[in-house]
Amino acid sequence: MILTAVICIVLGIGLILLCIFLPTENNEPNEPQSKDANVGDVIPDEPPSEPQIPVESGNTQNPEQGETPVTEEPEQPSVPVDPEPVEPEIPEVPETSSEPETPEVPETPSEPETPYVSSKNDPLLILANVGNPLPEDFEVGELETVQGNYKLDARAASYAREMISDAKSEGITLQLCSSYRAISLQKTLFENKYNYYISNGWSAEDAYAKTATIIAIPGTSEHQTGLCMDVVTPSYQVLDAGYAETDAAKWLAENAYKYGFILRYPKDKQDITKIIFEPWHYRFVGIENAKLIKDSGLCLEEYLETLE
């Protein structure tokens, strides 16, 4: 009996405890269920937000979301691609090809045709020699100083000064020893040379003929025109054939035509000019005529015969 009573007491206590603990167990699971439910709600929300960030870096955890932005982003660079090809079309607009047409305009080849005024009436081609004396009423044009007291016709003076300056820049010193001469001075020079030969036993006829090959007969001298000059150099001031071997004479023979001057009495033309070889005597005929005479190898007398 006693054992039976004890068992009943224990069972009763157990039932009481069971009743006490049953409600708390029902409440406690509610809380974890709500936590579990929250966790469950958050879990599906978080994954989409996380893969959205790495989608640009090619995260493959969520390929479906990665494909959408990948296809949308390449469409953006396609926008600037269109304007870029349009811009290169702009350089096609500067059709400045018309500009090179302007240099074609100065068709200066027509200028060489100005050998041109190369007529016998060209005042720069006036001929003065034994067979062509200057008119008695001839008057020289306006004179300008070239060097020291030496003067030339204004049409030739500036070119002479430029030639002397350019030669100097190349280490060549050109020194004038004669230029324009009045007919009175020409007479004095001729007489002096003539008397020199007479004093040395020459006949009057021979003295005159010899003098005429060296000093132009008054009225036939180019010096009277103001268009010629005698040029030497400080290291060689003798008027003889030896001067042709100096650097100054060689420079003149090569460059004088560029300034409108020609070697008036060449060595191989004495039978035509009737004057001895004078490597120091240069005559201004203008740049165009000088070039033509230089290229042709003609002397002034021959050149004039080719003109109308």
Side-chain angles (χ1 to χ4, degrees), residues 205-267:
E205 183 179 355
D206 290 341
Y208 186 91
K210 180 63 175 179
T211 300
T213 65
I214 302 173
I215 305 294
I217 298 171
T220 67
S221 172
E222 284 200 327
H223 285 284
Q224 190 179 337
T225 68
L227 294 173
C228 72
M229 58 186 181
D230 293 341
V231 187
V232 291
T233 192
S235 61
Y236 199 108
Q237 301 185 44
V238 180
L239 299 181
D240 61 18
Y243 172 71
E245 302 304 318
T246 66
D247 291 339
K250 292 177 181 178
W251 190 93
L252 283 168
E254 184 67 25
N255 299 285
Y257 79 94
K258 300 175 184 177
Y259 305 87
F261 288 87
I262 60 169
L263 176 62
R264 180 62 181 90
Y265 303 119
K267 188 174 185 179

Side-chain angles (χ1 to χ4, degrees), residues 297-308:
L298 301 175
C299 64
L300 182 58
E301 284 84 355
E302 293 174 310
Y303 178 67
L304 288 171
E305 288 180 0
T306 67
L307 306 179
E308 297 180 358

Side-chain angles (χ1 to χ4, degrees), residues 82-95:
D82 292 337
E84 290 180 358
V86 174
E87 294 178 0
E89 294 179 1
I90 298 175
E92 296 179 1
V93 176
E95 296 179 354

Side-chain angles (χ1 to χ4, degrees), residues 112-263:
E113 294 178 4
T114 55
Y116 75 14
V117 180
S118 281
S119 73
K120 292 182 179 180
N121 296 323
D122 185 343
L124 293 179
L125 296 179
I126 185 171
L127 182 62
N129 60 23
V130 175
N132 296 274
L134 295 172
E136 293 183 2
D137 61 348
F138 176 81
E139 292 184 5
V140 69
E142 180 183 354
L143 296 174
E144 285 186 9
T145 299
V146 174
Q147 185 184 75
N149 295 321
Y150 296 106
K151 298 181 179 182
L152 288 179
D153 185 302
R155 293 171 294 178
S158 61
Y159 291 97
R161 289 193 295 266
E162 182 180 3
M163 182 171 67
I164 293 171
S165 176
D166 289 350
K168 187 68 175 179
S169 67
E170 297 181 31
I172 302 296
T173 301
L174 302 180
Q175 179 177 315
L176 272 62
C177 63
S178 183
S179 56
Y180 165 71
R181 294 178 194 159
I183 190 171
S184 57
L185 175 59
Q186 189 68 25
K187 288 180 179 179
T188 300
L189 294 174
F190 188 89
E191 291 173 359
N192 289 342
K193 179 64 69 174
Y194 170 79
N195 291 330
Y196 167 80
Y197 288 116
I198 292 295
S199 64
N200 281 277
W202 291 55
S203 67
E205 183 179 355
D206 290 341
Y208 186 91
K210 180 63 175 179
T211 300
T213 65
I214 302 173
I215 305 294
I217 298 171
T220 67
S221 172
E222 284 200 327
H223 285 284
Q224 190 179 337
T225 68
L227 294 173
C228 72
M229 58 186 181
D230 293 341
V231 187
V232 291
T233 192
S235 61
Y236 199 108
Q237 301 185 44
V238 180
L239 299 181
D240 61 18
Y243 172 71
E245 302 304 318
T246 66
D247 291 339
K250 292 177 181 178
W251 190 93
L252 283 168
E254 184 67 25
N255 299 285
Y257 79 94
K258 300 175 184 177
Y259 305 87
F261 288 87
I262 60 169
L263 176 62

